[in-house]
Amino acid sequence: MAEPYPPNAPVRPWRQVARLLLVDERGRLLMVRGCEPGRPERGQWWEVPGGGIEPGEDSVAAAVRELAEETGYLVAPGQVGPVCWTGDVMFPWAGIERWASMVMHPARVDGSTLPVLPTAHTPDEVGWFLGVSWVWPAALDARADRMPTFPPGLPADLPRLLSGESVQAGFRSWH
């Protein structure tokens, strides 16, 4: 599923991003549903919660912080496993190509007892953020609901990720 790096790839370092693949006791994934503000023709997608790693932060701390900011769910850093997915991703956002080096950590939780706080999305997030849902992995197959996933190729990677394997995704572009 990895693609060759395009000739127009910018010089590194790219933005460092951490995501948290949160799995509940029933095997469902916590996903964010999004759309690009002002560009309804691009449709909606499912996204693993996460975002940029801030200076002085490690990827676990960033993934936990971003999960809370985007979804309100609170996960302790000790519940987070080692990196299970790494890859470089190019994605268009607001008409600009964005480039990121991304890692994903797994966390298995009891969704019924997981603390949840209200979220306060930034003005940028308000436009794209459509909601948070516990989703069955099979529902993420783009052929089933016609909604793409981010990071790209997630449905194909999930069986390995959920069985505890690690995925080295290489480069993937998302359109």
Side-chain angles (χ1 to χ4, degrees):
M1 190 99 172
E3 304 169 27
Y5 285 86
N8 67 327
V11 176
R12 292 175 187 263
W14 297 351
R15 183 173 189 211
Q16 300 296 300
V17 172
R19 297 195 174 274
L20 191 58
L21 186 65
L22 198 61
V23 183
D24 75 1
E25 71 286 356
R26 296 171 59 193
R28 299 175 303 169
L29 310 172
L30 187 70
M31 301 293 289
V32 174
R33 200 172 85 245
C35 72
E36 189 169 348
R39 302 196 56 178
E41 73 280 4
R42 292 190 49 83
Q44 298 180 14
W45 64 84
W46 288 113
E47 183 170 328
V48 174
I53 300 173
E54 300 294 335
E57 215 175 24
D58 65 25
S59 61
V60 170
V64 166
R65 176 186 51 78
E66 287 285 345
L67 176 77
E69 289 175 4
E70 292 181 0
T71 70
Y73 283 92
L74 302 178
V75 172
Q79 293 177 278
V80 177
V83 170
C84 66
W85 188 98
T86 59
D88 292 328
V89 180
M90 186 285 294
F91 57 99
W93 184 257
I96 299 170
E97 286 184 351
R98 312 288 176 149
W99 301 78
S101 293
M102 197 175 299
V103 298
M104 191 181 322
H105 292 270
R108 294 192 180 267
V109 298
D110 180 344
S112 64
T113 63
L114 199 59
V116 185
L117 297 175
T119 57
H121 296 110
T122 67
D124 288 339
E125 292 171 330
V126 169
W128 75 266
F129 186 84
L130 298 176
V132 176
S133 298
W134 288 101
V135 179
W136 293 104
L140 294 178
D141 188 331
R143 292 170 298 179
D145 66 8
R146 300 176 198 250
M147 284 176 50
T149 59
F150 190 82
L154 183 64
D157 294 340
L158 277 173
R160 291 176 55 200
L161 294 171
L162 295 174
S163 74
E165 287 184 52
S166 181
V167 172
Q168 304 290 324
F171 176 74
R172 294 181 178 174
S173 59
W174 188 71
H175 300 286

